């Protein structure tokens, strides 16, 4: 027996069909302790006096008639219940061929399902009801979070699919887009919590995303920007020009700004996808972009923030003062905030470009910034979040709770959400600034957070382990 058959046999807890023929064992003789893994065969398997189904109607895993056939990446069809258990057990190969699955999605085989149902009706065979299938709390791509007559979705789930770090995420309508070091972008339905497309043309890690009503832009270590049509998910264009990784993307009107490790920002017309101008004032890699007051602010490892007019594309000024790399920018209505490896946050007037104040208090690199109407929030390698009053530019409170560096911040439905190297996502109620929920599940650092907006009740986290966390924003409650 070859290795594939041995693995298959171990998973089933009984002989394979062809082995049973050779040895004379009945394929329905699985021991009782495997009942939780493999369902009891029905008469429709062809045993006893029941009607014998065509072999193509039977799942190659359990040998039962498929009530919900789905197709995997190799083109083979399995019963949904069985292939979900196969993948859930840690397998990433096609059970029949042993070939590694290019992705873990599975799509309904409607033609076969209709044929099976017609045969079942003609022969009086009762098929399993789809609503009786139990769905795991950890979803593989292609699984549905909600089945007929199922209980409401839990308040948190992990979506598996990426093989490496999730670098960027964007939400647009019912879709979540995630970019990964595995060179792919995945498109998720945020209602069903399942992956509906995998975009696979980049040749190196995908680092940045930007989305319009009808287009998705993705920037990569392969120096290119891919443009994706959101109706067909085809790739109508590739934007070339950068000589190093495209680390940041930002949209302003009909223009896309791309910041690169080649020290430049390129400006693209999003209609004809032509490069309008190359902005090249930086002397180090461009790490982050922010837009306000019709101006683009670019933060760089050269310790500066350059300012560009969105319309004329001329340089308006250079903001100097930081002594180490600028890794984070956040924009308010009239102010821009810059966070640096020099442990400080600087506050700039967006129009006059004057430095209004240097905010000191962190003991290590400032990695992430986000701002509400009243407060600025800064996350640092020192494991804390500092809350600054925007009106007075004074420190309002220091939030302790994470045990490792704070890498990601987001705002959602009256809560600040933070992600950390400690593998947790924490929710802080904005009124009390107390931690009201600590969410665990990721097996590595939480690198990025996103939501559908400040009023959204859903937050998504991207991790170094390749998984995406789905978290419902808690109702305001006392800290646990």
């Amino acid at each position: 027996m070859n290795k594939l058959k041995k693995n298959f046999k171990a998973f089933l807890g009984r002989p394979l069909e062809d082995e049973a023929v050779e040895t004379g064992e009945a394929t329905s003789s699985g021991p009782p302790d495997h009942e939780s893994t493999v369902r009891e065969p029905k008469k429709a398997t062809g045993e006893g006096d029941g009607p014998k189904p065509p072999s193509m109607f039977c799942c190659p895993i359990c040998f039962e008639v498929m009530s919900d056939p789905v197709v995997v990446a190799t083109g083979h069809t399995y019963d949904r219940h069985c292939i979900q258990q196969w993948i859930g057990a840690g397998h990433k190969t096609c059970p029949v061929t042993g070939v590694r699955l290019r992705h873990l999605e599975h799509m309904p085989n409607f033609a076969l399902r209709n044929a099976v149902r017609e045969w079942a009706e003609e022969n009086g065979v009762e098929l399993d009801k789809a609503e009786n299938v139990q769905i795991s709390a950890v979803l593989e791509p292609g699984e549905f979070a909600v089945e007929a007559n199922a209980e409401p979705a839990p308040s948190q789930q992990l979506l598996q699919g990426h093989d490496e770090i999730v670098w960027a995420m964007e939400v647009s309508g019912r879709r979540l887009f995630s970019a990964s070091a595995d060179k792919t972008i995945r498109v998720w339905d945020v209602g069903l919590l399942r992956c509906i497309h995998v975009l696979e043309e980049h040749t190196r890690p995908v680092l940045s995303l930007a989305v319009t009503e009808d287009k998705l832009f993705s920037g990569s270590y392969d120096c290119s920007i891919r443009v994706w049509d959101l109706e067909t998910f085809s790739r109508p264009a590739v934007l070339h020009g950068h000589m190093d990784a495209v680390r940041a993307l930002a949209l302003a009107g009909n223009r896309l700004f791309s910041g690169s490790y080649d020290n430049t920002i390129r400006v693209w017309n999003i209609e004809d996808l032509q490069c309008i101008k190359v902005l090249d004032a930086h002397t180090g890699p461009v790490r982050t972009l922010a837009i306000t007051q019709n101006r683009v602010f670019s933060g760089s490892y050269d310790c500066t923030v350059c300012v560009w007019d969105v319309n004329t594309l001329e340089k308006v000024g250079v903001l100097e003062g930081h002594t180490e790399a600028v890794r984070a920018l956040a924009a308010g209505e009239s102010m821009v905030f810059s966070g640096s490896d020099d442990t400080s946050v600087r506050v700039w007037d967006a129009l006059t470009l004057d430095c209004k104040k240097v905010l000191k208090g962190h003991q290590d690199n400032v990695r992430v910034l986000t701002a509400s109407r009243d407060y600025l929030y800064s996350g640092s390698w020192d494991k804390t979040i500092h809350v600054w009053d925007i009106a007075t530019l004074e420190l309002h409170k220091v939030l302790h709770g994470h045990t490792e560096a704070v890498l990601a911040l987001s705002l959602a439905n009256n809560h600040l959400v933070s992600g950390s190297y400690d593998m947790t996502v924490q929710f802080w109620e904005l009124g009390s600034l107390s931690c009201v929920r600590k969410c665990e599940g990721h097996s590595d650092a939480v690198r990025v957070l996103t939501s559908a907006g400040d009023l959204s009740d859903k937050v998504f986290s991207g991790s170094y382990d390749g998984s995406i966390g789905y978290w419902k924003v808690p109702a305001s409650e006392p800290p646990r």
Side-chain angles (χ1 to χ4, degrees):
M1 184 185 299
N2 61 30
K3 183 178 179 181
L4 174 60
K5 286 188 176 182
K6 288 180 180 178
N7 291 340
F8 214 25
K9 178 182 177 182
F11 176 71
L12 289 169
R14 60 182 180 180
L16 290 177
E17 190 171 32
D18 57 354
E19 185 189 356
V21 171
E22 294 172 4
T23 62
E25 297 181 59
T27 58
S28 61
S29 59
D33 60 326
H34 290 283
E35 288 179 359
S36 60
T37 302
V38 181
R39 294 171 291 174
E40 285 296 317
K42 301 178 292 186
K43 288 185 178 180
T45 57
E47 300 177 29
D49 298 327
K52 184 176 178 63
S55 59
M56 65 180 294
F57 289 180
C58 296
C59 175
I61 294 178
C62 66
F63 314 121
E64 298 175 21
V65 173
M66 294 181 281
S67 59
D68 191 7
V70 294
V71 181
V72 299
T74 58
H76 287 79
T77 297
Y78 302 93
D79 185 67
R80 183 188 295 274
H81 176 77
C82 292
I83 195 63
Q84 285 177 347
Q85 290 198 9
W86 173 262
I87 293 172
H91 302 288
K92 294 187 177 181
T93 57
C94 174
V96 167
T97 65
V99 174
R100 183 178 177 84
L101 295 170
R102 186 168 54 88
H103 57 77
L104 301 180
E105 284 77 31
H106 38 268
M107 302 300 293
N109 189 334
F110 292 113
L112 182 57
R113 186 173 68 181
N114 291 338
V116 169
R117 289 180 177 177
E118 288 179 6
W119 173 87
E121 290 176 3
E122 291 174 358
N123 291 275
V125 174
E126 184 177 356
L127 299 175
D128 281 352
K129 300 294 185 181
E131 57 264 32
N132 291 332
V133 176
Q134 297 296 314
I135 301 299
S136 170
V138 179
L139 298 181
E140 294 292 339
E143 291 183 29
F144 288 86
V146 180
E147 297 284 345
N149 301 323
E151 293 295 320
S155 61
Q156 60 186 57
Q157 294 179 357
L158 289 184
L159 312 180
Q160 304 288 353
H162 287 299
D163 293 329
E164 298 185 44
I165 298 172
V166 177
W167 281 112
M169 295 192 299
E170 291 285 340
V171 175
S172 178
R174 284 181 54 88
R175 292 168 176 168
L176 168 71
F177 304 93
S178 58
S180 170
D182 67 8
K183 309 173 192 176
T184 71
I185 302 116
R186 286 180 175 264
V187 187
W188 309 82
D189 185 303
V190 300
L192 297 175
L193 294 179
R194 69 163 184 160
C195 183
I196 56 176
H197 289 283
V198 182
L199 310 178
E200 299 184 284
E201 289 201 3
H202 282 292
T203 58
R204 295 194 66 193
V206 187
L207 301 174
S208 53
L209 297 172
V211 61
T212 67
E213 186 174 331
D214 60 349
K215 294 185 182 73
L216 173 70
F217 301 89
S218 56
S220 168
Y221 255 118
D222 65 15
C223 310
S224 75
I225 301 167
R226 254 63 171 182
V227 187
W228 309 90
D229 185 298
L230 292 186
E231 182 175 348
T232 64
F233 290 100
S234 61
R235 192 265 305 150
V238 180
L239 309 184
H240 294 291
H242 283 298
M243 304 302 292
D244 208 333
V246 180
R247 189 62 184 86
L249 295 173
L251 292 159
N254 67 341
R255 291 176 174 178
L256 172 72
F257 294 81
S258 57
S260 171
Y261 284 169
D262 67 8
N263 306 352
T264 71
I265 299 125
R266 285 181 173 258
V267 189
W268 312 84
N269 185 308
I270 65 173
E271 301 301 331
D272 61 20
L273 303 177
Q274 297 300 306
C275 183
I276 303 170
K277 191 172 182 179
V278 179
L279 313 179
D280 59 358
H282 283 294
T283 58
V286 179
R287 174 64 178 78
T288 180
L289 299 171
I291 297 176
T292 189
Q293 296 289 337
N294 284 319
R295 291 176 171 181
V296 178
F297 295 78
S298 54
S300 169
Y301 290 169
D302 66 10
C303 312
T304 71
V305 178
C306 286
V307 188
W308 315 87
D309 187 287
V310 166
N311 298 311
T312 67
L313 302 181
E314 296 298 323
K315 185 175 71 176
V316 178
V318 179
L319 310 183
E320 298 178 313
H322 285 297
T323 57
E324 294 190 45
V326 177
R327 292 185 182 271
L329 291 174
E333 290 185 5
S334 61
M335 287 185 282
V336 172
F337 310 94
S338 56
S340 169
D341 285 358
D342 65 13
T343 76
S344 74
V345 177
R346 287 181 173 256
V347 185
W348 311 88
D349 187 296
L351 292 176
T352 67
L353 305 184
D354 294 330
C355 181
K356 298 172 72 69
K357 192 168 184 178
V358 181
L359 308 181
K360 296 183 177 181
H362 282 296
Q363 302 302 307
D364 210 331
N365 301 354
V366 177
R367 299 304 299 265
V368 61
L369 299 171
T370 193
S372 65
R373 183 185 63 181
D374 299 319
Y375 294 101
L376 169 72
Y377 307 90
S378 55
S380 168
W381 208 263
D382 66 11
K383 310 174 188 177
T384 70
I385 302 164
H386 282 38
V387 183
W388 311 88
D389 188 304
I390 288 180
T392 64
L393 298 181
E394 297 293 334
L395 180 63
H396 179 69
K397 191 172 183 178
V398 179
L399 307 183
H400 298 276
H402 287 293
T403 58
E404 296 290 346
V406 178
L407 302 179
L409 294 172
S410 185
L411 292 166
N413 200 17
N414 199 39
H415 288 78
L416 172 70
V417 192
S418 56
S420 167
Y421 248 120
D422 66 13
M423 302 184 288
T424 70
V425 175
Q426 298 191 20
F427 287 84
W428 310 79
E429 199 272 323
L430 292 185
S432 64
L433 289 175
S434 58
C435 183
V436 295
R437 181 173 295 172
K438 178 180 178 180
C439 300
E440 298 176 321
H442 290 298
S443 60
D444 208 334
V446 178
R447 183 63 185 81
V448 62
L449 292 167
T450 192
S451 70
D454 290 357
L455 300 179
S456 174
D457 65 348
K458 299 180 181 68
V459 174
F460 297 90
S461 55
S463 171
Y464 275 47
D465 66 13
S467 69
I468 293 172
Y470 159 78
W471 318 96
K472 288 279 287 185
V473 178
S476 296
E477 56 187 26
R480 296 181 178 181

